[in-house]
Amino acid sequence: MDKKKVKDYMTYDVVSVDFHGTVHDVIEKIQKTHHDGFPVVDGTTVIGYISARDLLFVDPSTPVEKVMSDNLIVADPEMDINDAARVIFRSGIQKLPVVDEKNHLLGIISNSDVIRSQIEHVSPEKVFNFMTTLKKLYNVDPTLDRGTVPVKDLLPTQSKIYEDELEGRIYEIKKGLAEPIIVVRRPGKIILVDGHHRAVAAKRLGISALDAYIIEIKENIELGMERTALAMNLKTLDDVQVLDYARHPLVAITHRLVKRV
């Protein structure tokens, strides 16, 4: 995670507004783009930021420079993504313009981009804890390697994934940012332990191999997760069901909480 920079996750195609424009121009851009705020530029130089809330009770003919915020918080493209996260969440600002040393607009980094950078982070502890579990359950001595595994040969052990997370993994793979998956390789099998969204995303993109932490077991024993996969009728990644975000359990919990209020 420490190697991930703002430039890896920022949006390069930024919609901005000219400081010579009016509030009416900003309203039109909000309606067209559905964005809730824009960097204000003079040519390519960022001089302010204007959001939808700045337009409340303001006459549409008012110049942008009269209502924009010129107290700018910006990000550098080489900034660590974790540092950008701290700035965004401590300041309460949803989006930071990304600029170079001359304040030229390069992109924008949002709280959604920061959240995406943190999801499905594979830690060494996660891998070694699983290896410890294998030792205790099966009395084996697994070894760990780092390499690539064929996507088509992966045996899934999770029957459902979510469309919104899948889109995030597709985005990361396209940018070369995806974390390694975790697999167990035993004679004749490559069992997918962690990274089902990444694996399905790779398959959709036509990628034949994925970077992986490979836990190697020499013994030809059937693991419990294999039996679970068989019970769920899982043989290939095509058997994994992709659910719409609306069916995500977190959404259901939120809806229940809202009804109680």
Side-chain angles (χ1 to χ4, degrees), residues 3-261:
K3 295 180 181 179
K4 294 182 179 179
K5 306 293 184 183
V6 164
K7 65 182 180 182
D8 297 323
Y9 283 91
M10 72 183 195
T11 299
Y12 285 84
D13 186 17
V14 187
V15 180
S16 60
V17 297
D18 193 304
F19 90 108
H20 293 295
T22 65
V23 165
H24 175 74
D25 298 327
V26 181
I27 292 171
E28 283 191 336
K29 284 206 173 182
I30 290 175
Q31 291 172 336
K32 288 180 181 178
T33 66
H34 303 291
H35 295 172
D36 57 3
F38 310 93
V40 180
V41 296
D42 181 5
T44 60
T45 303
V46 181
I47 61 171
Y49 193 87
I50 190 164
S51 65
R53 63 185 176 187
D54 295 325
L55 309 182
L56 294 174
F57 312 114
V58 177
D59 189 280
S61 63
T62 306
V64 166
E65 59 180 319
K66 295 292 185 183
V67 293
M68 72 179 190
S69 171
D70 55 10
N71 184 21
L72 270 181
I73 299 178
V74 297
D76 183 277
E78 295 296 329
M79 190 178 190
D80 189 285
I81 194 71
N82 292 322
D83 292 334
R86 292 185 184 96
V87 172
I88 286 174
F89 291 113
R90 288 178 181 174
S91 67
I93 296 172
Q94 293 185 356
K95 298 175 182 177
L96 297 178
V98 183
V99 300
D100 63 15
E101 66 278 358
K102 294 183 179 179
N103 239 33
H104 294 157
L105 183 62
L106 302 176
I108 200 160
I109 186 86
S110 70
N111 50 9
S112 297
D113 296 324
V114 167
I115 291 170
R116 185 184 295 115
S117 74
Q118 306 293 327
I119 293 175
E120 285 201 4
H121 176 49
V122 177
S123 67
E125 290 79 12
K126 194 173 192 178
V127 178
F128 288 114
N129 286 342
F130 184 74
M131 290 177 68
T132 301
T133 301
L134 289 176
K135 289 180 182 180
K136 291 179 179 178
L137 288 177
Y138 302 102
N139 194 28
V140 294
D141 190 20
T143 58
L144 180 63
D145 194 13
R146 178 77 176 265
T148 59
V149 292
V151 172
K152 65 180 179 61
D153 293 343
L154 294 174
L155 173 66
T157 57
Q158 181 178 319
S159 62
K160 299 173 183 178
I161 61 173
Y162 295 97
E163 184 68 41
D164 64 316
E165 292 184 37
L166 180 59
E167 290 172 0
R169 302 295 80 72
I170 289 173
Y171 173 89
E172 290 179 356
I173 289 175
K174 284 180 176 179
K175 287 203 164 190
L177 298 167
E179 298 284 348
I181 60 175
I182 303 175
V183 303
V184 172
R185 185 165 61 194
R186 70 165 184 83
K189 294 280 186 178
I190 302 178
I191 305 152
L192 181 57
V193 177
D194 184 84
H196 284 74
H197 286 88
R198 279 161 280 170
V200 174
K203 191 172 188 306
R204 282 198 180 183
L205 292 171
I207 295 171
S208 60
L210 272 178
D211 184 24
Y213 289 111
I214 305 169
I215 301 170
E216 193 90 38
I217 297 178
K218 294 180 180 178
E219 293 82 0
N220 190 14
I221 57 173
E222 185 181 47
L223 303 182
M225 60 179 58
E226 292 181 69
R227 292 191 290 272
T228 301
L230 182 62
M232 292 188 293
N233 243 357
L234 298 175
K235 296 178 182 177
T236 72
L237 291 173
D238 290 331
D239 299 320
V240 178
Q241 185 181 4
V242 180
L243 301 180
D244 182 76
Y245 178 66
R247 298 176 65 184
H248 197 294
L250 287 176
V251 176
I253 291 170
T254 304
H255 286 175
R256 285 199 293 270
L257 289 175
V258 169
K259 290 177 182 177
R260 290 174 187 167
V261 175

